[in-house]
Amino acid sequence: MGQGADPAGPRAFRAVYGAAPDGVWAAPGRVNLIGEHTDYNDGFVLPVALPQTCQAAAAPRRDGLLRVHSSGVPGGVVTLTPEQLVPGEPAVEGWAAYPAGVLWALRGAGHQVGGADLHFVSTVPAGAGLSSSAALEVVTALALNELYGLGLGGGALARLCQRAENEFVGVPSGVMDQTAAACCVPGHALFLDTRELSWRQVPLALPAHGLRLLAVDTGVRHALADGAYAERRAACERGAAALGVAALRDVPPDEAQSALERIADRDVRRAVGHVLTENERVRRTVRALDAGDPATVGPLLTASHTSLRDDFRVSCAELDLVVDTALAAGALGARMTGGGFGGSALVLVEEGARERVGEAVSDAFARAGHQPPRVFDVEPGPGARRLV
Ligand code: ADP
Ligand code: MG
């Protein structure tokens, strides 16, 4: 695109809208270190911000219109009138529903937000389970927050973005992705309690311990994903009802075994088993990181994968191949991350094994006839911020 180091910067904005922006903001994608399918059970998650971001150059408009443009999407500028910023009919089609939903959610919460022109450029791969959608929402929310002096904090912005995605776009996601994009800090994972909506920064200083965290984007997304997500959510709700708790979060770790024995349905029992053990693995991961012992997180990652594959049953051949190959090549731990049925996996390796493990995974994909995976290093980065 030829915009140098600042791809969504003033020059690109001017080329689209013919005037200078007021500022440029960025929000990252994320990987979830551990705590998968726990968020809609009021449980614990531990996401990390990626170095890849969605950037937005933005300027306010007096006429209430929202105009959006993304360098990643053909089709030019999308213009939305205030009358279109209502959920349901007439629906906002396509990607523009994400930024439109954010403006709708802000106005719906009573904030005085006028119109805006926004130009986006993202380096977060879309649909890879790395939450390009939350990066897009959160960068929109932060830009509007600052353009209109709303003074909202990261947690409030994240909740409004979740509302936009749930109610305006119509995707029933939890609040993890948006909170990670809004609230992460460099060198840390975000230990988020999805019931209390409280969080704590947990040190994840991998280079200091001679470790690397790799993300492997398999490039696949199986059609099963959406239906299976709804089905697993329903199984968790049935499990909570069978146990007489508001959410699976309410089952104490030392009662997990007896709770499972009280669930008659095999599929529900297995789903509940995953969630209960996964919450405990998040707590143990946090304890290991607090104790300055990140290498011991490896087996917890692998145990998470086994549970997601065998009990929650949301893995797939490509994700299993990453995990099995990485472990055989000497990784300390590996697991699928994100919703499953494709997307990305995480691998924890010692510095010296990084190349070997990456190559082993690429070779295994080539031998299996899969498209080449994208392997990249995860350095815990900053959450949403202003760039210019
Ligand atoms: P994920 O969040 O895991 O990447 P989703 O399906 O939740 O996958 O979100 C991907 C969708 O978000 C895309 O199909 C597109 O509609 C929207 N999106 C993400 N990034 C951009 C971008 N830079 N420009 C336009 N739309 C985007
Ligand atoms: Mg998403």
Side-chain angles (χ1 to χ4, degrees):
M1 277 162 294
Q3 273 94 35
D6 189 10
R11 234 178 329 151
F13 184 94
R14 188 183 285 277
V16 176
Y17 294 112
D22 278 28
V24 179
W25 289 264
R30 63 94 191 97
V31 283
N32 189 21
L33 185 60
I34 195 160
E36 216 63 78
H37 289 277
T38 49
D39 61 344
Y40 51 83
N41 293 296
D42 281 2
F44 304 106
V45 294
L46 195 61
V48 172
L50 293 174
Q52 289 88 345
T53 61
C54 183
Q55 298 188 6
R61 292 180 63 88
R62 289 165 185 271
D63 59 6
L65 290 183
L66 178 67
R67 297 199 300 174
V68 293
H69 179 268
S70 172
S71 73
V73 181
V77 175
V78 181
T79 301
L80 300 156
T81 63
E83 297 73 43
Q84 282 177 292
L85 297 182
V86 289
E89 298 302 324
V92 174
E93 294 289 334
W95 74 273
Y98 292 91
V102 171
L103 180 53
W104 165 82
L106 283 165
R107 286 178 180 162
H111 300 294
Q112 299 299 311
V113 192
D117 286 339
L118 291 149
H119 169 62
F120 300 100
V121 174
S122 184
T123 52
V124 187
L130 301 175
S131 223
S132 68
S133 61
L136 176 58
E137 292 152 11
V138 170
V139 79
T140 303
L142 185 64
L144 294 172
N145 189 41
E146 296 195 8
L147 288 177
Y148 285 98
L150 306 180
L152 295 170
L157 292 178
R159 286 192 291 280
L160 287 165
C161 288
Q162 183 201 13
R163 182 150 186 243
E165 183 153 340
N166 292 170
E167 295 178 35
F168 197 90
V169 183
V171 177
S173 50
V175 77
M176 165 173 66
D177 301 348
Q178 293 84 0
T179 309
C183 303
C184 278
V185 302
H188 290 74
L190 187 91
F191 178 32
L192 172 66
D193 178 332
T194 64
R195 168 174 283 170
E196 304 300 333
L197 298 180
S198 58
W199 65 84
R200 179 163 77 76
Q201 309 291 347
V202 180
L204 188 63
L206 296 173
H209 291 84
L211 300 174
R212 295 271 197 99
L213 187 64
L214 308 179
V216 181
D217 175 7
T218 64
V220 299
R221 177 165 166 79
H222 294 293
L224 235 62
D226 291 344
Y229 180 82
E231 212 179 274
R232 299 303 185 282
R233 254 186 112 128
C236 291
E237 278 164 24
R238 288 210 302 280
L243 296 172
V245 292
L248 294 179
R249 147 73 176 277
D250 296 311
V251 179
D254 57 352
E255 290 173 25
Q257 200 48 47
S258 64
L260 290 178
E261 285 161 14
R262 301 209 311 274
I263 299 174
D265 184 291
R266 181 163 177 262
D267 287 344
V268 173
R269 189 168 61 242
R270 292 201 295 186
V272 170
H274 165 71
V275 174
L276 300 185
T277 56
E278 185 77 353
N279 274 325
E280 184 56 15
R281 281 186 289 270
V282 179
R283 293 192 192 91
R284 289 175 62 188
T285 300
V286 169
R287 283 201 292 274
L289 295 178
D290 280 337
D293 200 5
T296 59
V297 167
L300 294 166
L301 300 182
T302 306
S304 169
H305 185 76
T306 306
S307 176
L308 287 159
R309 183 191 63 201
D310 298 344
D311 289 336
F312 215 65
R313 293 175 299 127
V314 291
S315 190
C316 64
E318 295 88 346
L319 290 168
D320 292 344
L321 186 61
V322 176
V323 170
D324 294 344
T325 308
L327 293 174
L332 298 172
R335 70 177 205 88
M336 54 158 278
T337 182
F341 301 105
S344 300
L346 273 181
V347 181
L348 185 67
V349 288
E350 284 170 342
E351 189 86 46
R354 190 245 179 263
E355 294 308 317
R356 187 173 75 237
V357 169
E359 278 167 23
V361 170
S362 295
D363 290 350
F365 266 56
R367 276 199 305 277
H370 302 318
Q371 58 176 306
R374 247 169 49 90
V375 183
F376 58 91
D377 289 75
V378 178
E379 278 279 337
R385 70 269 184 198
R386 187 174 193 148
L387 297 180
V388 177

PDB file of all heavy atoms in Angstrom, residues 8 25-29 51-56 70 119-124 132 134-140 387:
ATOM      1  N   ALA A   8      -2.251   2.916   8.371  1.00  0.00           N
ATOM      2  CA  ALA A   8      -3.573   3.558   8.404  1.00  0.00           C
ATOM      3  C   ALA A   8      -3.420   5.034   8.729  1.00  0.00           C
ATOM      4  O   ALA A   8      -4.290   5.649   9.317  1.00  0.00           O
ATOM      5  CB  ALA A   8      -4.470   2.894   9.430  1.00  0.00           C
ATOM      6  N   TRP A  25      -5.500   5.377  15.761  1.00  0.00           N
ATOM      7  CA  TRP A  25      -5.553   4.488  16.916  1.00  0.00           C
ATOM      8  C   TRP A  25      -5.279   3.054  16.479  1.00  0.00           C
ATOM      9  O   TRP A  25      -5.380   2.745  15.277  1.00  0.00           O
ATOM     10  CB  TRP A  25      -6.949   4.554  17.559  1.00  0.00           C
ATOM     11  CG  TRP A  25      -7.217   5.858  18.255  1.00  0.00           C
ATOM     12  CD1 TRP A  25      -7.074   6.131  19.576  1.00  0.00           C
ATOM     13  CD2 TRP A  25      -7.697   7.082  17.652  1.00  0.00           C
ATOM     14  NE1 TRP A  25      -7.416   7.443  19.843  1.00  0.00           N
ATOM     15  CE2 TRP A  25      -7.790   8.049  18.684  1.00  0.00           C
ATOM     16  CE3 TRP A  25      -8.031   7.466  16.352  1.00  0.00           C
ATOM     17  CZ2 TRP A  25      -8.226   9.357  18.454  1.00  0.00           C
ATOM     18  CZ3 TRP A  25      -8.457   8.771  16.116  1.00  0.00           C
ATOM     19  CH2 TRP A  25      -8.552   9.701  17.153  1.00  0.00           C
ATOM     20  N   ALA A  26      -4.929   2.200  17.428  1.00  0.00           N
ATOM     21  CA  ALA A  26      -4.678   0.789  17.118  1.00  0.00           C
ATOM     22  C   ALA A  26      -5.238  -0.093  18.226  1.00  0.00           C
ATOM     23  O   ALA A  26      -5.237   0.293  19.397  1.00  0.00           O
ATOM     24  CB  ALA A  26      -3.174   0.526  16.986  1.00  0.00           C
ATOM     25  N   ALA A  27      -5.740  -1.275  17.845  1.00  0.00           N
ATOM     26  CA  ALA A  27      -6.154  -2.281  18.831  1.00  0.00           C
ATOM     27  C   ALA A  27      -5.681  -3.642  18.326  1.00  0.00           C
ATOM     28  O   ALA A  27      -5.762  -3.923  17.127  1.00  0.00           O
ATOM     29  CB  ALA A  27      -7.672  -2.276  19.019  1.00  0.00           C
ATOM     30  N   PRO A  28      -5.171  -4.481  19.230  1.00  0.00           N
ATOM     31  CA  PRO A  28      -4.556  -5.745  18.806  1.00  0.00           C
ATOM     32  C   PRO A  28      -5.545  -6.903  18.666  1.00  0.00           C
ATOM     33  O   PRO A  28      -6.622  -6.897  19.278  1.00  0.00           O
ATOM     34  CB  PRO A  28      -3.595  -6.043  19.969  1.00  0.00           C
ATOM     35  CG  PRO A  28      -4.318  -5.499  21.168  1.00  0.00           C
ATOM     36  CD  PRO A  28      -5.051  -4.258  20.681  1.00  0.00           C
ATOM     37  N   GLY A  29      -5.136  -7.920  17.898  1.00  0.00           N
ATOM     38  CA  GLY A  29      -5.755  -9.236  18.000  1.00  0.00           C
ATOM     39  C   GLY A  29      -5.259  -9.904  19.272  1.00  0.00           C
ATOM     40  O   GLY A  29      -4.465  -9.334  20.018  1.00  0.00           O
ATOM     41  N   PRO A  51       1.073  -8.751  18.582  1.00  0.00           N
ATOM     42  CA  PRO A  51       1.650  -7.551  17.956  1.00  0.00           C
ATOM     43  C   PRO A  51       0.827  -7.085  16.755  1.00  0.00           C
ATOM     44  O   PRO A  51       0.882  -5.909  16.389  1.00  0.00           O
ATOM     45  CB  PRO A  51       3.044  -8.010  17.516  1.00  0.00           C
ATOM     46  CG  PRO A  51       3.076  -9.492  17.639  1.00  0.00           C
ATOM     47  CD  PRO A  51       1.941  -9.925  18.510  1.00  0.00           C
ATOM     48  N   GLN A  52       0.067  -7.971  16.147  1.00  0.00           N
ATOM     49  CA  GLN A  52      -0.766  -7.584  14.998  1.00  0.00           C
ATOM     50  C   GLN A  52      -1.946  -6.730  15.475  1.00  0.00           C
ATOM     51  O   GLN A  52      -2.588  -7.069  16.472  1.00  0.00           O
ATOM     52  CB  GLN A  52      -1.311  -8.816  14.274  1.00  0.00           C
ATOM     53  CG  GLN A  52      -0.273  -9.593  13.499  1.00  0.00           C
ATOM     54  CD  GLN A  52       0.429 -10.639  14.331  1.00  0.00           C
ATOM     55  OE1 GLN A  52       0.355 -10.620  15.554  1.00  0.00           O
ATOM     56  NE2 GLN A  52       1.110 -11.566  13.687  1.00  0.00           N
ATOM     57  N   THR A  53      -2.223  -5.654  14.753  1.00  0.00           N
ATOM     58  CA  THR A  53      -3.284  -4.744  15.187  1.00  0.00           C
ATOM     59  C   THR A  53      -4.213  -4.369  14.034  1.00  0.00           C
ATOM     60  O   THR A  53      -3.867  -4.507  12.862  1.00  0.00           O
ATOM     61  CB  THR A  53      -2.705  -3.406  15.700  1.00  0.00           C
ATOM     62  OG1 THR A  53      -1.985  -2.770  14.640  1.00  0.00           O
ATOM     63  CG2 THR A  53      -1.810  -3.593  16.903  1.00  0.00           C
ATOM     64  N   CYS A  54      -5.371  -3.866  14.411  1.00  0.00           N
ATOM     65  CA  CYS A  54      -6.230  -3.121  13.487  1.00  0.00           C
ATOM     66  C   CYS A  54      -6.022  -1.647  13.801  1.00  0.00           C
ATOM     67  O   CYS A  54      -6.147  -1.240  14.958  1.00  0.00           O
ATOM     68  CB  CYS A  54      -7.694  -3.508  13.675  1.00  0.00           C
ATOM     69  SG  CYS A  54      -8.795  -2.686  12.493  1.00  0.00           S
ATOM     70  N   GLN A  55      -5.655  -0.872  12.788  1.00  0.00           N
ATOM     71  CA  GLN A  55      -5.437   0.560  12.977  1.00  0.00           C
ATOM     72  C   GLN A  55      -6.592   1.335  12.348  1.00  0.00           C
ATOM     73  O   GLN A  55      -7.120   0.935  11.304  1.00  0.00           O
ATOM     74  CB  GLN A  55      -4.135   0.998  12.325  1.00  0.00           C
ATOM     75  CG  GLN A  55      -2.927   0.324  12.937  1.00  0.00           C
ATOM     76  CD  GLN A  55      -1.615   0.903  12.418  1.00  0.00           C
ATOM     77  OE1 GLN A  55      -1.602   1.879  11.672  1.00  0.00           O
ATOM     78  NE2 GLN A  55      -0.519   0.304  12.830  1.00  0.00           N
ATOM     79  N   ALA A  56      -6.948   2.425  12.982  1.00  0.00           N
ATOM     80  CA  ALA A  56      -8.009   3.292  12.451  1.00  0.00           C
ATOM     81  C   ALA A  56      -7.539   4.729  12.455  1.00  0.00           C
ATOM     82  O   ALA A  56      -7.113   5.235  13.492  1.00  0.00           O
ATOM     83  CB  ALA A  56      -9.271   3.164  13.292  1.00  0.00           C
ATOM     84  N   SER A  70     -12.206   0.114   4.597  1.00  0.00           N
ATOM     85  CA  SER A  70     -11.159  -0.798   5.054  1.00  0.00           C
ATOM     86  C   SER A  70     -10.296  -1.198   3.882  1.00  0.00           C
ATOM     87  O   SER A  70     -10.803  -1.628   2.835  1.00  0.00           O
ATOM     88  CB  SER A  70     -11.782  -2.057   5.664  1.00  0.00           C
ATOM     89  OG  SER A  70     -10.761  -3.000   5.929  1.00  0.00           O
ATOM     90  N   HIS A 119     -10.980   5.070   8.579  1.00  0.00           N
ATOM     91  CA  HIS A 119     -10.242   4.250   7.610  1.00  0.00           C
ATOM     92  C   HIS A 119      -9.438   3.203   8.379  1.00  0.00           C
ATOM     93  O   HIS A 119      -8.656   3.549   9.261  1.00  0.00           O
ATOM     94  CB  HIS A 119      -9.304   5.114   6.778  1.00  0.00           C
ATOM     95  CG  HIS A 119      -8.338   4.316   5.963  1.00  0.00           C
ATOM     96  ND1 HIS A 119      -8.742   3.436   4.979  1.00  0.00           N
ATOM     97  CD2 HIS A 119      -6.988   4.237   5.990  1.00  0.00           C
ATOM     98  CE1 HIS A 119      -7.678   2.868   4.442  1.00  0.00           C
ATOM     99  NE2 HIS A 119      -6.601   3.324   5.036  1.00  0.00           N
ATOM    100  N   PHE A 120      -9.650   1.920   8.044  1.00  0.00           N
ATOM    101  CA  PHE A 120      -9.021   0.826   8.781  1.00  0.00           C
ATOM    102  C   PHE A 120      -7.976   0.107   7.930  1.00  0.00           C
ATOM    103  O   PHE A 120      -8.183  -0.093   6.718  1.00  0.00           O
ATOM    104  CB  PHE A 120     -10.060  -0.240   9.169  1.00  0.00           C
ATOM    105  CG  PHE A 120     -11.176   0.272  10.031  1.00  0.00           C
ATOM    106  CD1 PHE A 120     -12.413   0.592   9.471  1.00  0.00           C
ATOM    107  CD2 PHE A 120     -11.005   0.440  11.389  1.00  0.00           C
ATOM    108  CE1 PHE A 120     -13.455   1.060  10.252  1.00  0.00           C
ATOM    109  CE2 PHE A 120     -12.039   0.906  12.190  1.00  0.00           C
ATOM    110  CZ  PHE A 120     -13.269   1.216  11.618  1.00  0.00           C
ATOM    111  N   VAL A 121      -6.901  -0.302   8.602  1.00  0.00           N
ATOM    112  CA  VAL A 121      -5.944  -1.244   8.023  1.00  0.00           C
ATOM    113  C   VAL A 121      -5.618  -2.248   9.114  1.00  0.00           C
ATOM    114  O   VAL A 121      -5.296  -1.850  10.240  1.00  0.00           O
ATOM    115  CB  VAL A 121      -4.639  -0.558   7.579  1.00  0.00           C
ATOM    116  CG1 VAL A 121      -3.624  -1.604   7.126  1.00  0.00           C
ATOM    117  CG2 VAL A 121      -4.902   0.423   6.462  1.00  0.00           C
ATOM    118  N   SER A 122      -5.726  -3.530   8.815  1.00  0.00           N
ATOM    119  CA  SER A 122      -5.474  -4.525   9.862  1.00  0.00           C
ATOM    120  C   SER A 122      -4.417  -5.522   9.441  1.00  0.00           C
ATOM    121  O   SER A 122      -4.372  -5.942   8.282  1.00  0.00           O
ATOM    122  CB  SER A 122      -6.768  -5.275  10.191  1.00  0.00           C
ATOM    123  OG  SER A 122      -6.543  -6.178  11.259  1.00  0.00           O
ATOM    124  N   THR A 123      -3.554  -5.880  10.383  1.00  0.00           N
ATOM    125  CA  THR A 123      -2.613  -6.982  10.153  1.00  0.00           C
ATOM    126  C   THR A 123      -3.047  -8.229  10.918  1.00  0.00           C
ATOM    127  O   THR A 123      -2.312  -9.219  10.950  1.00  0.00           O
ATOM    128  CB  THR A 123      -1.183  -6.583  10.588  1.00  0.00           C
ATOM    129  OG1 THR A 123      -1.229  -6.093  11.932  1.00  0.00           O
ATOM    130  CG2 THR A 123      -0.616  -5.506   9.682  1.00  0.00           C
ATOM    131  N   VAL A 124      -4.222  -8.190  11.542  1.00  0.00           N
ATOM    132  CA  VAL A 124      -4.735  -9.383  12.233  1.00  0.00           C
ATOM    133  C   VAL A 124      -5.438 -10.257  11.201  1.00  0.00           C
ATOM    134  O   VAL A 124      -6.399  -9.803  10.574  1.00  0.00           O
ATOM    135  CB  VAL A 124      -5.747  -9.007  13.338  1.00  0.00           C
ATOM    136  CG1 VAL A 124      -6.133 -10.243  14.143  1.00  0.00           C
ATOM    137  CG2 VAL A 124      -5.210  -7.906  14.241  1.00  0.00           C
ATOM    138  N   SER A 132      -9.802 -10.773  14.932  1.00  0.00           N
ATOM    139  CA  SER A 132      -9.773  -9.550  14.120  1.00  0.00           C
ATOM    140  C   SER A 132     -11.037  -8.729  14.344  1.00  0.00           C
ATOM    141  O   SER A 132     -11.015  -7.503  14.229  1.00  0.00           O
ATOM    142  CB  SER A 132      -9.633  -9.902  12.647  1.00  0.00           C
ATOM    143  OG  SER A 132     -10.804 -10.536  12.158  1.00  0.00           O
ATOM    144  N   ALA A 134     -12.794  -8.297  17.180  1.00  0.00           N
ATOM    145  CA  ALA A 134     -12.695  -7.475  18.395  1.00  0.00           C
ATOM    146  C   ALA A 134     -11.713  -6.330  18.189  1.00  0.00           C
ATOM    147  O   ALA A 134     -11.934  -5.220  18.673  1.00  0.00           O
ATOM    148  CB  ALA A 134     -12.277  -8.322  19.590  1.00  0.00           C
ATOM    149  N   ALA A 135     -10.621  -6.584  17.436  1.00  0.00           N
ATOM    150  CA  ALA A 135      -9.667  -5.507  17.163  1.00  0.00           C
ATOM    151  C   ALA A 135     -10.364  -4.379  16.403  1.00  0.00           C
ATOM    152  O   ALA A 135     -10.176  -3.194  16.708  1.00  0.00           O
ATOM    153  CB  ALA A 135      -8.480  -6.052  16.365  1.00  0.00           C
ATOM    154  N   LEU A 136     -11.186  -4.750  15.430  1.00  0.00           N
ATOM    155  CA  LEU A 136     -11.928  -3.763  14.644  1.00  0.00           C
ATOM    156  C   LEU A 136     -12.923  -2.988  15.515  1.00  0.00           C
ATOM    157  O   LEU A 136     -13.040  -1.759  15.435  1.00  0.00           O
ATOM    158  CB  LEU A 136     -12.650  -4.498  13.510  1.00  0.00           C
ATOM    159  CG  LEU A 136     -13.573  -3.725  12.589  1.00  0.00           C
ATOM    160  CD1 LEU A 136     -12.844  -2.593  11.886  1.00  0.00           C
ATOM    161  CD2 LEU A 136     -14.184  -4.668  11.543  1.00  0.00           C
ATOM    162  N   GLU A 137     -13.639  -3.708  16.377  1.00  0.00           N
ATOM    163  CA  GLU A 137     -14.609  -3.044  17.258  1.00  0.00           C
ATOM    164  C   GLU A 137     -13.923  -2.104  18.246  1.00  0.00           C
ATOM    165  O   GLU A 137     -14.340  -0.952  18.431  1.00  0.00           O
ATOM    166  CB  GLU A 137     -15.396  -4.090  18.069  1.00  0.00           C
ATOM    167  CG  GLU A 137     -16.335  -4.948  17.256  1.00  0.00           C
ATOM    168  CD  GLU A 137     -16.560  -6.327  17.883  1.00  0.00           C
ATOM    169  OE1 GLU A 137     -16.165  -6.544  19.050  1.00  0.00           O
ATOM    170  OE2 GLU A 137     -17.131  -7.178  17.189  1.00  0.00           O
ATOM    171  N   VAL A 138     -12.876  -2.636  18.887  1.00  0.00           N
ATOM    172  CA  VAL A 138     -12.257  -1.864  19.974  1.00  0.00           C
ATOM    173  C   VAL A 138     -11.533  -0.640  19.429  1.00  0.00           C
ATOM    174  O   VAL A 138     -11.564   0.433  20.047  1.00  0.00           O
ATOM    175  CB  VAL A 138     -11.333  -2.770  20.820  1.00  0.00           C
ATOM    176  CG1 VAL A 138     -10.491  -1.939  21.788  1.00  0.00           C
ATOM    177  CG2 VAL A 138     -12.168  -3.794  21.586  1.00  0.00           C
ATOM    178  N   VAL A 139     -10.906  -0.763  18.257  1.00  0.00           N
ATOM    179  CA  VAL A 139     -10.236   0.427  17.726  1.00  0.00           C
ATOM    180  C   VAL A 139     -11.274   1.481  17.348  1.00  0.00           C
ATOM    181  O   VAL A 139     -11.053   2.690  17.540  1.00  0.00           O
ATOM    182  CB  VAL A 139      -9.294   0.070  16.547  1.00  0.00           C
ATOM    183  CG1 VAL A 139     -10.027  -0.142  15.230  1.00  0.00           C
ATOM    184  CG2 VAL A 139      -8.247   1.176  16.380  1.00  0.00           C
ATOM    185  N   THR A 140     -12.433   1.045  16.867  1.00  0.00           N
ATOM    186  CA  THR A 140     -13.525   1.982  16.576  1.00  0.00           C
ATOM    187  C   THR A 140     -13.997   2.673  17.855  1.00  0.00           C
ATOM    188  O   THR A 140     -14.158   3.898  17.906  1.00  0.00           O
ATOM    189  CB  THR A 140     -14.717   1.239  15.931  1.00  0.00           C
ATOM    190  OG1 THR A 140     -14.264   0.578  14.754  1.00  0.00           O
ATOM    191  CG2 THR A 140     -15.841   2.192  15.579  1.00  0.00           C
ATOM    192  N   LEU A 387      -1.998   6.140  18.394  1.00  0.00           N
ATOM    193  CA  LEU A 387      -0.674   6.137  17.750  1.00  0.00           C
ATOM    194  C   LEU A 387      -0.245   7.541  17.343  1.00  0.00           C
ATOM    195  O   LEU A 387       0.935   7.887  17.427  1.00  0.00           O
ATOM    196  CB  LEU A 387      -0.680   5.248  16.499  1.00  0.00           C
ATOM    197  CG  LEU A 387      -0.961   3.757  16.700  1.00  0.00           C
ATOM    198  CD1 LEU A 387      -0.937   3.047  15.351  1.00  0.00           C
ATOM    199  CD2 LEU A 387       0.046   3.122  17.652  1.00  0.00           C
TER     200      LEU A 387
END
